[in-house]
């Protein structure tokens, strides 16, 4: 059971890295700023909690969703 938890945590960490990197590229932001935006978002909370199976979605879709549905995190 511990191995499964470690695997899930590693998967989420890799997903977060992909999201942050793609967000930085798509919005032409420094990685640090993209990281700040991501960690202030509802998306990061949902991924951390495993809500709605959102962590199983493609990172590109998740970045697009973040841009469209959470404009407040960009200000």
């Amino acid at each position: 059971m511990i191995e499964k938890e470690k695997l899930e945590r590693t998967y989420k960490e890799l997903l977060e890295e992909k999201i942050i990197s793609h967000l930085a590229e798509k919005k032409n932001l420094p990685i640090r700023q993209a990281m700040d935006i991501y960690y202030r978002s509802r998306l990061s909370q949902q991924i951390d909690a495993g809500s709605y199976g959102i962590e199983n979605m493609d990172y590109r879709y998740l970045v697009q969703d973040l841009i469209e549905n959470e404009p407040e995190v960009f200000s």
Side-chain angles (χ1 to χ4, degrees), residues 15-38:
L15 177 62
E16 290 176 328
E17 286 178 21
K18 288 179 182 178
I19 289 170
I20 292 165
S21 178
H22 190 63
L23 178 61
E25 181 182 314
K26 193 159 179 83
K27 295 294 274 181
N28 197 27
L29 300 169
I31 288 288
R32 199 90 170 131
Q33 187 177 2
M35 190 181 303
D36 182 56
I37 288 168
Y38 171 72

Side-chain angles (χ1 to χ4, degrees), residues 19-20 23-24 27 29-44 66-67 70-75:
I19 289 170
I20 292 165
L23 178 61
K27 295 294 274 181
L29 300 169
I31 288 288
R32 199 90 170 131
Q33 187 177 2
M35 190 181 303
D36 182 56
I37 288 168
Y38 171 72
Y39 284 114
R40 288 188 289 118
S41 72
R42 290 186 307 275
L43 174 61
S44 85
L66 173 63
I67 291 168
E70 296 192 58
E72 68 278 3
V73 295
F74 293 92
S75 26

